[in-house]
Each structure stands twice: as structure tokens, then as C-alpha cells.
Amino acid sequence: MRTIYSLNALNWRFARLESPGIPLPAPESKVWQDVTLPHVWNKDDPSQTGECVYQATFGMDARQLEKRHFIEFEAVAGVCKVEMNGQLLGEHRGGYSTFRFAMDEALVEGANTLTVHADNTRYSDVNPLTGDFDNYGGIYRDVKLIEVDGTHFDLLYYGTQGVEIDAEADGTVKITPHITGGEGAMARYTILDGNCIAAACEVSAITGRDVTMQVEYPRLWNGKADPHCYTLRAELLREGAVCDAVELGFGFRSIEMNAAQGFSLNGKHLRLNGVAKHQDRERMGCAFTRAQLDEDMAILKELGANAVRLSHYQHPQYFYDLCDKEGFVVWAEIPMLAMPDANDGVFENAKSQLTELILQNRHHPSICFWGIQNEIAMMGESLEMYDKVAKLNGLAKQLDPSRLTTAANLYCVKNNSQLNFIPDCIGYNLYYGWYYGEMGDYAGFIRKFRNDNPGVPLGFSEYGVDCNLAYHSETPRRKDYSEEYQALYHETVYPQLTAEPAVWGSFVWNLFDFGSSIRDEGGVKGRNSKGLVTWDRQTKKDAFYYYKAQWSEELFVHIAGRRFVKRSGESTTVKVYSNCSEVTLTTNGREIPGRQTAAGVFSFTVPLDAGALELRAEGTGCADSITLEHVAQPEQSYIYVDPNPEIDVKNWFTMQDSGEDLFPEDRFSIMDPIGEILDNAEALALLETELPAIAHDERSRKYRSMGLIRIINRMPHKPDEDFLKDLNRKLNTIPKKTEGRK
């Protein structure tokens, strides 16, 4: 019978290696540190990369050596090599999926030394090649020793439990087992509905390779409305005794996608109201406990979302289990964030990681989407890229034809790009009103995309803005990093995304702030601050409550601006987010007239009396209170002062007498992506004359999707406004080539 031992509690020791491949430090060396697993060695400085080594010793007796043994890692960051008593067991290249190695040939009676090399170096043939999230290092999920009889479900089949399940909405269950040593053995499969047996069968472990079972009148997994799951218990028997057993949860349900009508679950339209989520936490890196994953789920449930994009890699099995249990529709994906031409190694690694993701997780009813790429066009597009993405899509369909394939494109991917036509549906990562454009541009994008591509299902895989809770404003504006601008942005953008019924869903970027060592903006280093909740999970930002007002059925009121305590002037605007039909606001006991300005948003103009103001909002059976302070002058600590301010080219419109369009769609401008300018011979020649430092900078080719004006804004000595106006006019004379659909 299978026995599983946790190895987390062994006396592990850890050491950094000065360079990959060098001999281990001497046993008595002071470079060794005692650690406990799971462990992240660079959580305090995630920019650090390199190889490290973990070592532990455990005992085996003669009785145990009669069994088969496997070492299981739920994930090790980057490239992992495992040795037992100095003998190499194997190597795994990819930092997010489960993998195992057989140990028997290396085990001895008595003490056994396990050595694990974990290398988070960015290798050219391991995904991700890059990313706007921290590159943690270490053994950051559980390690187990699995002991089994000679007859067992294959533990080396892509890190799975050795059993695949396909369940259809009519109650049909196809079981594909992978069995080692099955000659003469029997396989017994039992489908449990709670404690009740819904179906059962017993077949030869050899002849019954693929088994089809039927559950009469299946209760469907129906998202949050009814997340009902079944359990498959698979057992191998010899002479009636159980040799091995595994259990997998699964569910019956059907999904469909239609370009005109969106996503359907069990034949009923379901608009996906989602958020995206990374797996890290402040001061912890990515070494989560189950209790912390439970906390994340509790916050997700409070928000009222019905979908989650688990980006940009395979997440812990436990969180997929929680999504099954709680009814969240899941977008799961691989860390394919760059696909340079002529790099077959990274493509093969993507195929490997996609295979592991799908086979390890296809039993989860919550997973409805397999994501095959995210923003790979940042460095441009090519025919080779299209071919490889198509092959990844084909692999996903081969491994699991029952689910939808999807991908996340960034804004420089044009409507006629082949990247929009490969997967079953597409998502766009758009940041109008933050990195480019205006908050109101989403509606126009949707209209044009739907007009150009009426057969392509469109969703939004990312949208959001950074927010530093220290900054506040009565008149929030782009790039002021205020809590008020983040809230205003989502109030403005989300209604545009829901106005078109064909938009199948949207995912706020991000549920939580997360680590990104490459960032230094908005007064915060090493963090992407677009979350609706802070990195430590302690504070829900005002924008969180805006979405709660849209999605949650739990009646509540929330007064926004509670951190915007010091207010100046004769009056101030106070917003209340609530899903109640009516909200009243009182100040120092006096009721203030207000109005509902949009769904879930109530606005009040509050006179600022001298001293403190006690505000209380009340709805149906709920209330909230905050305190404001009247000050003579605006509080300067609330204002973000950018040490390297961008040039706001949009203000040129107000300075034009002719009313000409400075940024036409059919001609170039300084707002266009640098990659498009470099690809046009005439525009490139102009840039080489006017801004040779940018034209010949390798980073201009690396960040092809970045607008020319953003690159100019990052120059240590920016050109003056007159020069930029003149450059823009010259670019306006160069027409863009009109290309047909590829």
C-alpha cells in the first residue's frame, strides 16, 4: 500500500554556490545554514539569481528497501538536479510544476543523503525568459517521499497521480490509468458522491487500460451557484488486497464560447467577472502555507468575483482544489512570456511545461481555460512565432480537447494579427489611462475589434493602475499614484468592459500587489502596486470595494477615502461604495444630501467644518464610519512628486490653433510603439537623424511595444517640447502601411 512521508521537517541545510557546477562546500563549512522547508532563499532580494544547494539525511531499514520509492517535489524554482548518496536521480527544468524521480537504485540501508541543486538563473531554454514579477529561488513547495509496492499507479507520468479523468455533463466518465507492474492485478474504480457510491467497476489492470463509467443523473459543477464535486477512488489489487490507491476530485459540467454571446457554463451564459493572482506574499516570497492560501480565497470570495486568472505559471494544487470547492472559473497558464525566433529550446520547454500543467490539472472542473502565451509579441511578431503558438495550441487540444485555449495579447498586437486567430478565445492586456491613451478608450477598442474580428471571442486578461496608499487627491489624475485615481479608473473602465455583451470576461490586474524587483515607481521599489489589496493582505484599497459593490451579494457600505484624512477647502467630495439600493451619509450627526452617480457609487458633497468630522454611512442593515480632519492647506505628503516626470503630450491639444490631429491612426506619431517605427524604413531613417541614441539602442528593439514617448521620457536628458512637437509633425508625414489579415 502507498505510504507518503513528508520530508519538510528533516534537518535541512542550505548553501549558496559561488558559481554553477562547483563542488559542494565542505561539511564543516560555515556557509551552510540550517533551514526549514518550504524555503525561499532570495525573498529579501529577489533580484539575486544563481545556484544553491539543499541537503538532508534520512534513514531506511531493510523492510523499507523491499518497496519502491520516489522523491516528489511540488515545485522547485528554476532548474533542479537531485542526487541521492551522490548518484544523480534526474533533472527538472521549470519552476512551477510537480515532478518525481525514482530512488531505489541509489538507496542504501541506514543513512541516506539527499542533495538538491536549485538554480533560478534565467536560462535561455527555460521559461520564463523574463517577467514583471519576482524570480524567487529555492524549494518553495512541499517535498515528499512516496513508498509503494511493485504494482502501482505510475508516479513518473508527468508528475501526475497516474490517473487521467475525462468527465462529460451527461455523466460519462472516461478513466485513463497509467500502471506499473500491473500483470495479474485488478483495478477497481469507485466514483463517490460524498459518502455515497455513484458508480463502481473492477477490471484487469492490463486489459482495462481505458475504462468508461456512467453516473446516472449527475449533479453538475455549476460555478459558485453549485460547485458540486465527485471523487474518483482508483485502486490496484492483488488477491483482493489493495496494493496502491489514489483519489482525485472532479466534476461534471459543459463549457462553450461564442464570439457573439460570450462564455456559457452548462448551457447558460456566464459573464466572467475576474481578477488575476500571483503566488507571492510580502516578506515570504512564494513559500505559502495552506492557511495563507485559505486567506487568499476568503478575500477572493468577499470580493464577489466568479473567475480568477492564476498567472503566469502553474499554481499550487491546493489552490486549484479551493477553486473547485468554491466554484471559481479558472484560467490556468504556462510561463510563456517571450518566444524569440530560432530558440527551439525555450519552445520545447514550453511544450514540456504545458504538458505538465494540463496532465496534472485536467481533473479540476474549475479550470476552463488553458493559457498558452502572455504578451510574447512585446519584441515583435514573426511567422515562426505564429507557427510555434499554433503548435502549442494544438498540443493543448491534443492533451485536453474538452477545454478552451486562450492567450493574452498586449496592446501593440493589431486586430489582424495571426495571434488573435490561433486559440479558441483571446484576452487583451490593456492599460489605457495609465501607460497610454485615456480611460475612455476601452469602448472604442472593443467596437473596432468586434467590427474587424466578429468571429473572435474577446475578453480582457489585464487592466489596472498602480496605487500607493500614501497618496491622495481631490482631483485625481493619471500617474499621481493616488488611491482616488485607482478607484476612478476602475469606476470608468469596468462599465465599458461590461457594456458589450459579447465580451466574455475581464480580469482585474491584480487582486494583490506583488513583488517585481525591476520596478521603482510611485514611491515604491520592487513592487507592482496595481493590486486591489496590499501585498501583505492587510488592507483592501477603495477599488476593492467598488468591485465588491458590483459583484457581491453581501450587503455592505464602504466610505472611500478613509486614508485621505486631512482635507482642505470649504467642502470635499465623499464617495460611498455599496450594493444597497439607498445609502445615507451623516456628518457629525447631520444628514448630507447625495446621489447615486453610477452602479454601486454614491457621491456626497460634505461641508468642511473646523476640526474633526465624523462621517457615518448607512445602508440596509449595514453601516461604516470614518473620521476626517479639516486643514487650512492641502497636505503635501499626499502628493506624489515624480523625480523623473513624463512629458504629457496630450496637453499639446490645448495648445493647437489649427485643431489638427497630432496622433493620427494612419500616420506615425511619437505615441506609436517603437517597434512599429523601427520596422518602417522612412520612420527609422528619421529617428536615426533626430534621436540616434534611441534608434541604435538595443533596448529599443527589446521593448518593441513601448511607445516612443515613453522611451524619450526615460532619457536622462529629455529633448525640449519644441523639439518633440517638430519630431511629431515629421512623423505625421509618414504613412503607415496597411496590411491585410495574415
Side-chain angles (χ1 to χ4, degrees):
M1 188 62 181
R2 178 178 299 203
T3 305
I4 300 175
Y5 305 92
S6 172
L7 300 186
N8 289 357
L10 294 178
N11 293 323
W12 288 93
R13 57 181 192 161
F14 161 86
R16 287 284 311 279
L17 300 183
E18 294 181 2
S19 60
I22 67 172
L24 298 186
E28 67 278 6
S29 172
K30 293 183 179 180
V31 302
W32 290 103
Q33 306 170 36
D34 293 332
V35 297
T36 56
L37 298 187
H39 179 253
V40 176
W41 65 264
N42 64 341
K43 62 184 179 182
D44 295 326
D45 183 6
S47 65
Q48 295 185 67
T49 61
E51 184 177 351
C52 60
V53 62
Y54 295 83
Q55 200 167 72
T57 300
F58 60 90
M60 299 288 288
D61 58 34
R63 180 198 60 81
Q64 288 177 298
L65 290 177
E66 296 175 359
K67 301 276 192 174
R68 297 288 310 279
H69 296 87
F70 298 85
I71 185 77
E72 175 184 284
F73 297 88
E74 292 188 359
V76 177
V79 175
C80 177
K81 294 181 181 180
V82 182
E83 299 172 357
M84 175 59 65
N85 297 323
Q87 181 176 327
L88 179 66
L89 300 183
E91 180 185 66
H92 184 262
R93 302 178 74 81
Y96 304 100
S97 54
T98 296
F99 61 96
R100 304 185 188 95
F101 298 123
M103 305 171 66
D104 298 299
E105 293 184 4
L107 289 173
V108 298
E109 186 176 353
N112 290 266
T113 300
L114 175 64
T115 304
V116 182
H117 296 260
D119 187 356
N120 72 330
T121 301
R122 292 290 198 192
Y123 288 103
S124 63
D125 63 344
V126 179
N127 292 288
L129 298 181
T130 186
D132 183 14
F133 53 93
D134 278 337
N135 178 30
Y136 294 108
I139 305 176
Y140 67 94
R141 293 185 193 154
D142 292 344
V143 182
K144 299 172 185 175
L145 173 65
I146 303 176
E147 182 179 278
V148 293
D149 292 335
T151 298
H152 59 272
F153 292 104
D154 190 354
L155 288 160
L156 299 181
Y157 188 70
Y158 297 101
T160 71
Q161 295 294 333
V163 179
E164 297 179 68
I165 303 173
D166 288 296
E168 300 179 13
D170 65 358
T172 302
V173 181
K174 179 184 176 183
I175 301 167
T176 303
H178 303 274
I179 300 170
T180 298
E183 295 83 356
M186 299 297 291
R188 182 167 63 200
Y189 303 105
T190 307
I191 295 175
L192 298 170
D193 185 358
N195 294 320
C196 300
I197 296 176
C201 73
E202 189 170 315
V203 298
S204 166
I206 298 301
T207 60
R209 292 287 298 181
D210 292 331
V211 177
T212 299
M213 302 175 68
Q214 187 69 40
V215 172
E216 299 295 331
Y217 310 109
R219 182 174 167 185
L220 300 184
W221 187 91
N222 198 32
K224 293 178 68 176
D226 185 12
H228 189 74
C229 291
Y230 290 75
T231 300
L232 172 69
R233 178 183 295 157
E235 299 169 297
L236 296 175
L237 303 94
R238 283 194 180 276
E239 299 178 355
V242 177
C243 304
D244 193 19
V246 297
E247 289 189 354
L248 287 175
F250 72 98
F252 298 101
R253 53 115 179 94
S254 65
I255 57 174
E256 294 179 82
M257 181 66 77
N258 183 284
Q261 298 170 347
F263 177 77
S264 294
L265 176 63
N266 300 325
K268 185 177 180 180
H269 175 260
L270 179 66
R271 205 278 178 185
L272 297 183
N273 301 319
V275 292
K277 178 185 183 298
H278 270 297
Q279 68 172 1
D280 68 336
R281 182 182 283 238
E282 188 173 26
R283 294 186 297 275
M284 293 198 61
C286 52
F288 271 70
T289 66
R290 287 197 170 194
Q292 289 165 334
L293 291 172
D294 288 337
E295 182 183 11
D296 283 4
M297 176 54 72
I299 293 171
L300 184 58
K301 288 173 61 179
E302 180 188 349
L303 183 64
N306 62 15
V308 59
R309 180 186 178 200
L310 295 179
S311 49
H312 289 301
Y313 37 72
Q314 186 167 330
H315 283 237
Q317 275 292 321
Y318 183 67
F319 203 79
Y320 294 118
D321 291 338
L322 289 178
C323 291
D324 291 344
K325 177 183 175 182
E326 301 295 346
F328 285 89
V329 171
V330 172
W331 169 333
E333 64 190 27
I334 58 171
M336 170 49 74
L337 282 81
M339 188 182 285
D341 283 356
N343 189 335
D344 291 334
V346 80
F347 173 60
E348 292 300 319
N349 183 258
K351 288 162 53 179
S352 174
Q353 293 201 47
L354 181 61
T355 300
E356 290 177 327
L357 172 72
I358 293 176
L359 294 182
Q360 291 177 21
N361 295 284
R362 60 182 305 198
H363 62 283
H364 291 291
S366 59
I367 297 178
C368 296
F369 301 87
W370 299 124
I372 57 175
Q373 63 92 355
N374 176 78
E375 295 189 351
I376 60 171
M378 183 172 289
M379 301 180 190
E381 303 177 30
S382 70
L383 294 177
E384 180 180 333
M385 174 182 288
Y386 302 152
D387 178 65
K388 288 180 175 177
V389 173
K391 288 178 179 176
L392 287 176
N393 190 75
L395 176 60
K397 286 298 185 182
Q398 174 189 337
L399 294 170
D400 182 11
S402 71
R403 285 179 173 83
L404 299 164
T405 56
T406 190
N409 286 331
L410 72 169
Y411 82 105
C412 67
V413 175
K414 302 304 181 185
N415 290 354
N416 65 353
S417 168
Q418 187 62 29
L419 293 175
N420 285 326
F421 305 100
I422 295 173
D424 294 324
C425 54
I426 205 69
Y428 260 82
N429 300 347
L430 289 185
Y431 291 92
Y432 291 122
W434 189 243
Y435 295 127
Y436 42 79
E438 306 296 337
M439 291 187 290
D441 290 346
Y442 288 88
F445 174 87
I446 294 170
R447 285 193 300 269
K448 191 172 190 311
F449 189 94
R450 294 281 297 127
N451 182 66
D452 291 346
N453 302 320
V456 178
L458 172 66
F460 288 87
S461 36
E462 294 181 21
Y463 66 103
V465 299
D466 288 85
C467 160
N468 183 334
L469 292 180
Y471 301 132
H472 302 282
S473 176
E474 284 276 7
T475 55
R477 58 183 177 82
R478 173 182 171 272
K479 290 288 185 175
D480 68 2
Y481 294 90
S482 69
E483 187 172 12
E484 287 68 35
Y485 184 76
Q486 186 191 42
L488 177 63
Y489 168 90
H490 286 290
E491 288 177 35
T492 305
V493 171
Y494 181 68
Q496 297 175 68
L497 307 186
T498 57
E500 171 54 70
V503 172
W504 55 264
S506 55
F507 297 82
V508 178
W509 190 259
N510 198 281
L511 177 56
F512 303 109
D513 292 346
F514 59 91
S516 180
S517 58
I518 64 174
R519 285 183 173 259
D520 181 4
E521 62 176 310
V524 178
K525 291 184 178 181
R527 182 181 308 182
N528 187 310
S529 300
K530 294 184 180 67
L532 302 179
V533 182
T534 53
W535 199 8
D536 60 6
R537 277 58 169 174
Q538 295 303 301
T539 305
K540 300 177 179 74
K541 304 177 188 180
D542 285 341
F544 175 94
Y545 293 97
Y546 168 73
Y547 282 105
K548 184 175 179 179
Q550 309 307 309
W551 298 339
S552 177
E553 296 180 0
E554 174 194 0
L555 293 178
F556 80 100
V557 291
H558 170 81
I559 305 175
R562 63 192 54 231
R563 284 163 287 276
F564 187 8
V565 176
K566 298 179 180 181
R567 312 269 184 121
S568 61
E570 296 181 355
S571 63
T572 187
T573 298
V574 173
K575 287 192 294 189
V576 177
Y577 295 129
S578 178
N579 51 9
C580 297
S581 58
E582 294 183 358
V583 171
T584 60
L585 182 73
T586 57
T587 305
N588 294 343
R590 182 177 73 236
E591 184 171 334
I592 303 297
R595 61 191 181 93
Q596 185 169 0
T597 59
V601 184
F602 298 82
S603 182
F604 301 85
T605 301
V606 177
L608 289 174
D609 303 325
L613 289 85
E614 302 289 339
L615 274 65
R616 178 177 174 84
E618 295 185 359
T620 305
C622 50
D624 188 30
S625 299
I626 68 170
T627 300
L628 302 182
E629 177 186 349
H630 184 214
V631 295
Q633 300 294 329
E635 174 60 37
Q636 294 302 301
S637 67
Y638 291 164
I639 302 172
Y640 172 63
V641 179
D642 192 340
N644 187 28
E646 291 187 4
I647 299 169
D648 184 5
V649 297
K650 287 297 183 182
N651 67 18
W652 294 358
F653 282 111
T654 63
M655 303 172 66
Q656 294 294 311
D657 296 327
S658 63
E660 64 180 310
D661 185 357
L662 295 177
F663 315 113
E665 290 191 6
D666 60 341
R667 287 167 287 150
F668 284 100
S669 74
I670 63 174
M671 298 293 285
D672 287 316
I674 184 65
E676 293 184 15
I677 294 173
L678 296 177
D679 288 343
N680 182 284
E682 189 176 355
L684 172 59
L686 175 64
L687 199 63
E688 287 177 327
T689 300
E690 302 289 342
L691 288 172
I694 289 179
H696 299 294
D697 190 339
E698 188 61 32
R699 288 171 296 182
S700 298
R701 286 157 178 79
K702 184 177 180 181
Y703 300 105
R704 291 176 54 88
S705 66
M706 188 177 291
L708 174 59
I709 186 59
R710 288 193 66 204
I711 294 178
I712 292 173
N713 280 327
R714 295 188 175 198
M715 295 177 65
H717 303 290
K718 291 190 287 286
D720 61 31
E721 192 171 282
D722 289 337
F723 174 87
L724 290 175
K725 288 181 181 179
D726 184 61
L727 174 63
N728 193 68
R729 291 190 185 99
K730 291 176 180 177
L731 284 168
N732 286 172
T733 66
I734 303 173
K736 297 179 180 178
K737 294 180 180 179
T738 303
E739 298 180 351
R741 180 178 296 178
K742 298 180 180 179

mmCIF file of all heavy atoms in Angstrom, residues 18 58 106 127 191 210 257 351 383 576 586 601 616 691 735:
data_model
loop_
_atom_site.group_PDB
_atom_site.id
_atom_site.type_symbol
_atom_site.label_atom_id
_atom_site.label_comp_id
_atom_site.label_asym_id
_atom_site.label_seq_id
_atom_site.Cartn_x
_atom_site.Cartn_y
_atom_site.Cartn_z
ATOM 1 N N GLU A 18 28.998 29.751 -5.305
ATOM 2 C CA GLU A 18 29.544 30.952 -5.932
ATOM 3 C C GLU A 18 29.323 30.947 -7.434
ATOM 4 O O GLU A 18 29.164 31.995 -8.054
ATOM 5 C CB GLU A 18 31.034 31.076 -5.614
ATOM 6 C CG GLU A 18 31.321 31.319 -4.140
ATOM 7 C CD GLU A 18 32.800 31.462 -3.867
ATOM 8 O OE1 GLU A 18 33.588 31.405 -4.839
ATOM 9 O OE2 GLU A 18 33.184 31.638 -2.694
ATOM 10 N N PHE A 58 18.211 11.002 5.825
ATOM 11 C CA PHE A 58 17.146 10.226 6.455
ATOM 12 C C PHE A 58 17.525 8.747 6.410
ATOM 13 O O PHE A 58 18.385 8.325 5.619
ATOM 14 C CB PHE A 58 15.798 10.455 5.757
ATOM 15 C CG PHE A 58 15.783 10.081 4.300
ATOM 16 C CD1 PHE A 58 15.429 8.800 3.896
ATOM 17 C CD2 PHE A 58 16.102 11.024 3.329
ATOM 18 C CE1 PHE A 58 15.412 8.464 2.556
ATOM 19 C CE2 PHE A 58 16.087 10.695 1.982
ATOM 20 C CZ PHE A 58 15.744 9.403 1.590
ATOM 21 N N ALA A 106 19.592 4.044 -5.819
ATOM 22 C CA ALA A 106 20.567 4.842 -5.063
ATOM 23 C C ALA A 106 20.431 4.695 -3.553
ATOM 24 O O ALA A 106 21.294 5.150 -2.806
ATOM 25 C CB ALA A 106 20.432 6.315 -5.444
ATOM 26 N N ASN A 127 11.507 28.519 -19.550
ATOM 27 C CA ASN A 127 10.504 29.568 -19.347
ATOM 28 C C ASN A 127 10.266 29.805 -17.858
ATOM 29 O O ASN A 127 10.257 28.853 -17.075
ATOM 30 C CB ASN A 127 9.183 29.143 -20.008
ATOM 31 C CG ASN A 127 9.285 29.111 -21.506
ATOM 32 O OD1 ASN A 127 9.345 30.135 -22.155
ATOM 33 N ND2 ASN A 127 9.309 27.905 -22.074
ATOM 34 N N ILE A 191 -16.625 5.765 -8.018
ATOM 35 C CA ILE A 191 -16.981 7.187 -8.066
ATOM 36 C C ILE A 191 -17.872 7.481 -6.874
ATOM 37 O O ILE A 191 -18.930 6.859 -6.696
ATOM 38 C CB ILE A 191 -17.693 7.540 -9.384
ATOM 39 C CG1 ILE A 191 -16.726 7.336 -10.558
ATOM 40 C CG2 ILE A 191 -18.191 8.982 -9.352
ATOM 41 C CD1 ILE A 191 -17.366 7.544 -11.926
ATOM 42 N N ASP A 210 -8.296 1.752 -20.651
ATOM 43 C CA ASP A 210 -9.260 2.855 -20.691
ATOM 44 C C ASP A 210 -10.596 2.318 -20.221
ATOM 45 O O ASP A 210 -11.113 1.339 -20.778
ATOM 46 C CB ASP A 210 -9.391 3.427 -22.099
ATOM 47 C CG ASP A 210 -8.126 4.148 -22.547
ATOM 48 O OD1 ASP A 210 -7.421 4.672 -21.675
ATOM 49 O OD2 ASP A 210 -7.851 4.170 -23.757
ATOM 50 N N MET A 257 -17.911 28.618 -25.839
ATOM 51 C CA MET A 257 -17.515 30.001 -26.103
ATOM 52 C C MET A 257 -18.053 30.402 -27.459
ATOM 53 O O MET A 257 -17.913 29.670 -28.445
ATOM 54 C CB MET A 257 -15.996 30.149 -26.066
ATOM 55 C CG MET A 257 -15.500 31.568 -26.317
ATOM 56 S SD MET A 257 -15.956 32.732 -25.013
ATOM 57 C CE MET A 257 -14.768 32.284 -23.743
ATOM 58 N N LYS A 351 6.482 23.409 -24.351
ATOM 59 C CA LYS A 351 5.685 22.209 -24.580
ATOM 60 C C LYS A 351 5.711 21.297 -23.354
ATOM 61 O O LYS A 351 4.691 20.734 -22.955
ATOM 62 C CB LYS A 351 6.191 21.473 -25.820
ATOM 63 C CG LYS A 351 5.869 22.175 -27.120
ATOM 64 C CD LYS A 351 6.703 21.706 -28.293
ATOM 65 C CE LYS A 351 6.694 20.232 -28.507
ATOM 66 N NZ LYS A 351 7.496 19.828 -29.683
ATOM 67 N N LEU A 383 6.478 34.949 -38.507
ATOM 68 C CA LEU A 383 5.823 33.730 -38.970
ATOM 69 C C LEU A 383 6.227 32.542 -38.106
ATOM 70 O O LEU A 383 5.419 31.648 -37.842
ATOM 71 C CB LEU A 383 6.180 33.469 -40.436
ATOM 72 C CG LEU A 383 5.645 34.493 -41.448
ATOM 73 C CD1 LEU A 383 6.147 34.156 -42.847
ATOM 74 C CD2 LEU A 383 4.117 34.527 -41.419
ATOM 75 N N VAL A 576 -19.208 56.780 -1.480
ATOM 76 C CA VAL A 576 -19.542 55.562 -0.746
ATOM 77 C C VAL A 576 -19.802 54.462 -1.769
ATOM 78 O O VAL A 576 -20.560 54.654 -2.723
ATOM 79 C CB VAL A 576 -20.785 55.758 0.148
ATOM 80 C CG1 VAL A 576 -21.153 54.450 0.838
ATOM 81 C CG2 VAL A 576 -20.540 56.854 1.178
ATOM 82 N N THR A 586 -24.212 60.830 7.138
ATOM 83 C CA THR A 586 -24.335 61.902 8.125
ATOM 84 C C THR A 586 -22.951 62.368 8.539
ATOM 85 O O THR A 586 -21.997 61.588 8.612
ATOM 86 C CB THR A 586 -25.108 61.435 9.376
ATOM 87 O OG1 THR A 586 -24.452 60.294 9.934
ATOM 88 C CG2 THR A 586 -26.538 61.062 9.030
ATOM 89 N N VAL A 601 -22.036 53.318 -6.730
ATOM 90 C CA VAL A 601 -21.266 54.504 -6.359
ATOM 91 C C VAL A 601 -22.218 55.618 -5.932
ATOM 92 O O VAL A 601 -23.081 56.048 -6.716
ATOM 93 C CB VAL A 601 -20.388 54.999 -7.518
ATOM 94 C CG1 VAL A 601 -19.518 56.168 -7.062
ATOM 95 C CG2 VAL A 601 -19.530 53.868 -8.072
ATOM 96 N N ARG A 616 -20.690 58.941 8.910
ATOM 97 C CA ARG A 616 -21.309 57.625 9.059
ATOM 98 C C ARG A 616 -22.227 57.369 7.866
ATOM 99 O O ARG A 616 -23.103 58.185 7.558
ATOM 100 C CB ARG A 616 -22.096 57.516 10.362
ATOM 101 C CG ARG A 616 -22.799 56.171 10.552
ATOM 102 C CD ARG A 616 -23.509 56.108 11.892
ATOM 103 N NE ARG A 616 -24.307 54.892 12.027
ATOM 104 C CZ ARG A 616 -23.826 53.711 12.417
ATOM 105 N NH1 ARG A 616 -22.532 53.601 12.715
ATOM 106 N NH2 ARG A 616 -24.613 52.650 12.519
ATOM 107 N N LEU A 691 16.989 61.263 -33.288
ATOM 108 C CA LEU A 691 17.285 60.677 -31.976
ATOM 109 C C LEU A 691 18.116 59.409 -32.167
ATOM 110 O O LEU A 691 17.657 58.289 -31.917
ATOM 111 C CB LEU A 691 15.987 60.346 -31.225
ATOM 112 C CG LEU A 691 15.178 61.526 -30.684
ATOM 113 C CD1 LEU A 691 13.834 61.043 -30.139
ATOM 114 C CD2 LEU A 691 15.957 62.249 -29.585
ATOM 115 N N PRO A 735 3.220 57.790 -43.801
ATOM 116 C CA PRO A 735 2.039 56.914 -43.691
ATOM 117 C C PRO A 735 2.417 55.534 -43.174
ATOM 118 O O PRO A 735 3.515 55.032 -43.416
ATOM 119 C CB PRO A 735 1.524 56.846 -45.126
ATOM 120 C CG PRO A 735 2.730 57.088 -45.965
ATOM 121 C CD PRO A 735 3.605 58.036 -45.199
#
